[in-house]
Amino acid sequence: MLDAATTVGGTSVALDREHGEVYTQRWVVDLILDLVGYTDDDDLSRRRLLDPACGDGAFMVAAAERLSSSCRKHGLTITAAADALHAVDLQERNVTATTDAVTAVLQADGWDFDQVAAVVAGWVRHADFLLATDADRFDVIVGNPPYLRLEDISTEKSDAYRRACRTMVGRADIYVGFYEKALRRLRDGGALGFICADRWMRNQYGRALRGLVTSGFAVETVVTMHDVDAFLEAVSAYPAITVLRRARQGTAVVADTTRLFDATAAADFLSWRSDSASTEFTRPAFQAARMPGWFADQEPWPTGTPSRLAMIEEITEGFPLLEDTGAGTRVGIGIATGADAVYLTTNRIVAESDRLLPIAMVKDVTTGTLGQHDTFLVNPWEADGSLVDLARYPKLRAYFQRHREKLTGRYIAKRQPDRWYKTIDKVDATLTGREKLLFPDMRMQLHPVLDVGTLYPHHNLYFIVSDTWDLRVLGGLLLSDIAQAFVEAYAVRMRGGTLRFQAQYLRKIRVPNPESISAEDQQQLRDVFARRDREGASRIARRLYGVSHLST
């Protein structure tokens, strides 16, 4: 149950702020039941379904209707399904509402009142799902778990939840615990189907949950529904339907919907999903694609259109990561000083010449080639990583003494007062004099610039060095739209569409093995890099990756 009062973005609606309750449209409930395979052509009396936060009973009512139909099709009485449905809720009023709604549905379908009363009494109970100690297993778990931040509940309760749910780390929302508890209670082959905020797939607090999913479960279907009227009230919660199964990972279906997605479009999606011969499907209401697998780690899962995600997954399966210790390829960030006003200078006489290290700034790489630099790092580090002895450098000592108040006021200096003139980062002597590709942090597009070994990068620049790549060849490859697609799938996008080209995102790029690129292609990549020819780089890259076109 998504809580409009705790969502991010858009206009919130104050509903049940304390318990995170927003209820689900019936057609969305039916879609989820279809996706997990809970249909009346099966003998549903033999399958156990759980709704761990039943709210007003939307999922239980729909499940009871299907169960009732299944019993009639298989010649069974409703009492044969006494162990088929289960629901819990923290609120007694919700337990009562769900019990009444399910009872009314079964009575309307003609079942005996006493039989209905007997089975429904055992189906719905008052409990806190996250703290329950019972370990019953289920074939199907469905629902709309609460979306409530831990800081919005009491410290005592939040601490209890964290102890009970190991994936609730950092600023996790309550729904993370519902995913964990539900997954652990699935039988082999059992499926979970939730409609819930999808932030856990990409942010830091979802890391442990992603690890749990990829360690023993399959991502079967993800339907992103950010603009869909999926709830009975208007909320802004970035919801997605996620179907996970206790099974080995196989193909995965992803869909991205528009505001036109409704019951009719959902039926079209289900029809396409059952057609194993089709890999992609596009309609005004949604795009969908079938992927060969899923992203098998706890790092943030990429975002993008289904066809783009399918392309990224295919490339991920076939090509190694850009950063490869075996190949000697490393991604890093330039030096952070903690006091740029002191450590960066254009004055060549403030210290001894061997204490002035030419440094590359963002302004130096704007055009795509290194301009004439005029900035130096006043360098307090020896090549072996130790701090210099100021007694050996009188000009340097005098310079730092003039700025001692500013330098000693830094947190890092207060922690190590005897090393008060150190920068936050050490100078990495192995970078000095070495060829490297430099990347400014914030740009619209990947912007690799070659430094032949004359400059040291500032912390607003990221770098790539390699023992195996000709960096002009790699630079050409990184100008391509395929390299750009990888960063777009993972990176934080700022206001106006600007991307953060940070090391963690550059490391996500997949590249061919350098030795697999022909001499002709290598020369062409050098040429397009020299010309800053992105279109030419993209044509070569698509051939090397075996991609006919870049999926939108």
Side-chain angles (χ1 to χ4, degrees):
M1 293 167 288
L2 296 167
D3 178 20
T6 60
T7 58
V8 179
T11 302
S12 65
V13 179
L15 297 171
D16 188 337
R17 182 183 296 270
E18 182 181 359
H19 302 111
E21 295 178 346
V22 174
Y23 300 125
T24 315
Q25 296 272 20
R26 173 56 189 263
W27 68 266
V28 177
V29 173
D30 285 330
L31 173 59
I32 293 172
L33 290 174
D34 287 334
L35 289 172
V36 298
Y38 194 80
T39 56
D40 64 5
D41 52 334
D42 286 342
D43 180 0
L44 298 182
S45 72
R46 301 172 63 87
R47 302 183 67 189
R48 303 184 80 227
L49 177 146
L50 169 68
D51 181 349
C54 61
D56 67 347
F59 283 87
M60 282 292 286
V61 166
E65 290 178 356
R66 295 182 182 216
L67 175 61
S68 176
S69 175
S70 173
C71 285
R72 295 200 184 280
K73 285 184 178 182
H74 291 84
L76 302 171
T77 66
I78 197 66
T79 55
D83 193 40
L85 296 183
H86 297 265
V88 298
D89 200 279
L90 186 61
Q91 303 306 306
E92 289 190 12
R93 58 179 167 79
N94 289 341
V95 172
T96 299
T98 298
T99 299
D100 292 345
V102 172
T103 298
V105 163
L106 295 180
Q107 284 187 259
D109 202 25
W111 294 106
D112 177 78
F113 174 79
D114 291 335
Q115 292 181 338
V116 168
V119 296
V120 175
W123 284 352
V124 189
R125 64 190 181 93
H126 178 225
D128 188 332
F129 179 69
L130 296 187
L131 300 181
T133 57
D134 48 328
D136 289 352
R137 296 296 184 96
F138 296 89
D139 302 289
V140 174
I141 301 178
V142 292
N144 176 1
Y147 184 30
L148 193 63
R149 294 190 178 98
L150 281 172
E151 56 262 38
D152 291 335
I153 62 177
S154 69
T155 300
E156 181 182 5
K157 180 61 70 73
S158 66
D159 288 347
Y161 285 161
R162 289 188 188 276
R163 288 192 297 269
C165 306
R166 295 193 296 272
T167 61
M168 291 181 66
V169 297
R171 300 186 66 187
D173 291 84
I174 292 293
Y175 70 78
V176 170
F178 276 79
Y179 268 104
E180 176 184 341
K181 284 286 192 175
L183 287 170
R184 296 191 189 282
R185 296 181 68 176
L186 284 177
R187 287 174 172 168
D188 288 345
L192 174 152
F194 279 170
I195 180 165
C196 193
D198 65 0
R199 301 296 86 183
W200 68 274
M201 300 182 191
R202 295 171 187 94
N203 62 20
Q204 184 61 31
Y205 74 60
R207 180 180 176 87
L209 178 56
R210 292 191 298 271
L212 173 63
V213 170
T214 56
S215 69
F217 301 87
V219 177
E220 198 166 273
T221 305
V222 177
V223 183
T224 303
M225 303 176 69
H226 292 181
D227 297 320
V228 177
D229 183 18
F231 306 106
L232 296 182
E233 290 86 5
V235 298
S236 177
Y238 308 111
I241 293 173
T242 308
V243 177
L244 309 172
R245 192 174 296 276
R246 186 183 283 274
R248 296 176 65 87
Q249 182 66 57
T251 59
V253 169
V254 291
D256 189 20
T257 62
T258 71
R259 63 180 69 253
L260 300 176
F261 195 70
D262 57 12
T264 301
D268 290 342
F269 170 66
L270 286 168
S271 177
W272 168 81
R273 182 176 176 270
S274 65
D275 179 10
S276 60
S278 176
T279 58
E280 294 188 12
F281 193 65
T282 301
R283 288 291 184 271
F286 67 94
Q287 297 180 53
R290 203 179 312 274
M291 298 168 56
W294 194 251
F295 304 92
D297 58 39
Q298 58 184 304
E299 295 302 312
W301 294 340
T303 184
T305 63
S307 55
R308 178 68 66 87
L309 289 178
M311 181 199 74
I312 288 173
E313 170 62 11
E314 185 175 354
I315 292 175
T316 297
E317 289 294 310
F319 294 86
L321 288 165
L322 169 62
E323 184 169 76
D324 184 344
T325 55
T329 302
R330 178 165 63 95
V331 180
I333 187 172
I335 188 169
T337 68
D340 281 356
V342 175
Y343 289 105
L344 301 185
T345 184
T346 57
N347 187 343
R348 294 173 180 262
I349 63 172
V350 298
E352 288 78 4
S353 60
D354 62 335
R355 291 293 95 206
L356 297 177
L357 181 64
I359 192 165
M361 309 292 289
V362 169
K363 64 181 177 61
D364 299 321
V365 302
T366 302
T367 64
T369 57
L370 281 175
Q372 183 174 0
H373 82 279
D374 58 1
T375 306
F376 298 87
L377 173 73
V378 183
N379 183 12
W381 299 102
E382 298 282 17
D384 63 1
S386 62
L387 275 172
V388 299
D389 180 358
L390 293 179
R392 295 176 49 223
Y393 293 95
K395 291 177 67 176
L396 179 67
R397 179 179 59 195
Y399 179 75
F400 282 156
Q401 287 290 354
R402 287 199 302 273
H403 296 284
R404 183 167 186 140
E405 182 177 357
K406 180 174 289 187
L407 295 182
T408 55
R410 297 173 301 153
Y411 175 74
I412 190 172
K414 290 178 180 177
R415 288 186 60 192
Q416 296 179 297
D418 58 327
R419 296 163 64 84
W420 58 273
Y421 55 95
K422 65 177 289 189
T423 53
I424 292 176
D425 298 328
K426 289 184 178 182
V427 170
D428 180 356
T430 65
L431 283 180
T432 305
R434 185 176 186 183
E435 278 198 345
K436 62 191 78 71
L437 290 174
L438 301 176
F439 299 81
D441 182 357
M442 292 187 286
R443 296 275 298 195
M444 298 293 288
Q445 293 178 300
L446 264 172
H447 188 70
V449 177
L450 181 68
D451 168 33
V452 297
T454 59
L455 303 176
Y456 196 92
H458 184 246
H459 73 89
N460 285 331
L461 292 172
Y462 294 84
F463 66 83
I464 295 175
V465 292
S466 180
D467 295 335
T468 53
W469 278 98
D470 177 334
L471 292 184
R472 293 164 181 80
V473 174
L474 181 59
L477 195 65
L478 295 178
L479 281 176
S480 71
D481 52 9
I482 291 180
Q484 176 80 12
F486 269 89
V487 177
E488 288 179 352
Y490 291 98
V492 173
R493 193 176 289 275
M494 310 298 287
R495 187 184 300 274
T498 300
L499 290 165
R500 300 296 305 274
F501 290 96
Q502 297 172 315
Q504 60 186 321
Y505 307 129
L506 295 174
R507 292 186 181 108
K508 291 291 187 181
I509 300 172
R510 299 279 172 159
V511 293
N513 289 314
E515 61 270 19
S516 71
I517 303 175
S518 69
E520 180 181 0
D521 283 333
Q522 289 193 37
Q523 186 56 51
Q524 289 184 16
L525 286 169
R526 293 187 193 96
D527 293 342
V528 296
F529 181 60
R531 299 194 306 268
R532 312 299 294 179
D533 180 1
R534 295 183 184 276
E535 290 187 8
S538 298
R539 286 194 298 271
I540 300 168
R542 292 174 196 176
R543 185 172 68 253
L544 295 176
Y545 286 99
V547 174
S548 60
H549 67 283
L550 184 68
S551 302
T552 57

